[in-house]
Amino acid sequence: MKDLMGQAIWDFYHGQNPENILTETSISEIDDLPVAYLFRDFEEMNNIEQKALELSHGNVLDIGAGAGSHSLYLQNFKKLPVLAVDFSPKSIEVSKLRGVENAVCADILEFSEGTYDTILLLMNGTGIFQSLEKIDVYLGKLSSLLNENGQILIDSTDIIYMYDRDEDGGVMVPADHYYGEVDYFMHYKLDTEKPIKWLYLDFETFKRAAENNGFNIEKILQEKDSYLARLTKNR
């Protein structure tokens, strides 16, 4: 992996002529992601992010922490113990430079440092699941990292709206895979990252998967086509 996201974060933090990150998926055109957005403070975050941070408690694991904005808020304003995790080495370096006290570069499937009261996965947190067939693997891993009375706060988007409809109003979704499974591409400074698998989940599909893996799940907040969910262990 070229770590283009980390390079963009590094360039922005160090003032090394940062440019916008260009993202696209197998079902959407190129879109600009200003790097400054990854450094936003609480007031600049959307309602789903703010609600998730407000609900966070206890010992927190921030998965996909990026530049560390969520971790910094929890650490500095809520005074919670937080561990930021990301597989981008440069992102973790910058998050430490910004003041995140505990941060580690790791693949979450290979991570095993303790258990947590809150596990946070934001900015389409279900994306790391990659595909429907891998959900069980990831939910099993998250369960192993969660304290018995803990919570997973995770967001996603139902992207059914991105597909065309036929004359009868039926949605023209792919026949060979779940419509929320996409290939995700990232471009930065004329370089391109190898595409990754990324998963957007409608809530009902997520609910079935969560319950099949021993979780209770509730929708905390709905914002247009996106939502915040809370998972707790089914006792």
Side-chain angles (χ1 to χ4, degrees), residues 129-218:
F129 299 161
Q130 301 180 60
S131 65
L132 283 185
E133 67 179 20
K134 292 188 176 182
I135 289 180
D136 292 352
V137 173
Y138 279 92
L139 288 179
K141 181 63 181 183
L142 293 176
S143 180
S144 74
L145 296 170
L146 189 66
N147 287 333
E148 285 304 309
N149 295 316
Q151 60 176 350
I152 299 171
L153 297 171
I154 183 170
D155 67 334
S156 196
T157 300
D158 184 353
I159 61 170
I160 193 73
Y161 70 92
M162 297 181 70
Y163 290 88
D164 294 331
R165 294 181 179 271
D166 59 28
E167 295 179 353
D168 298 322
V171 183
M172 301 170 65
V173 297
D176 59 346
H177 63 271
Y178 172 64
Y179 68 84
E181 296 173 344
V182 302
D183 293 323
Y184 186 88
F185 303 82
M186 187 178 302
H187 315 277
Y188 181 66
K189 288 188 174 180
L190 302 179
D191 205 351
T192 298
E193 193 91 67
K194 180 181 178 181
I196 61 172
K197 299 293 183 182
W198 198 246
L199 181 63
Y200 295 92
L201 274 175
D202 70 278
F203 183 75
E204 290 306 315
T205 299
F206 194 12
K207 183 173 185 290
R208 289 192 294 271
E211 292 174 346
N212 287 340
N213 282 276
F215 287 104
N216 293 312
I217 182 172
E218 59 180 317

Side-chain angles (χ1 to χ4, degrees), residues 14-28:
H14 291 281
Q16 300 292 327
N17 300 313
E19 298 178 5
N20 286 353
I21 300 167
L22 302 180
T23 65
E24 62 178 315
T25 74
S26 47
I27 62 168
S28 63

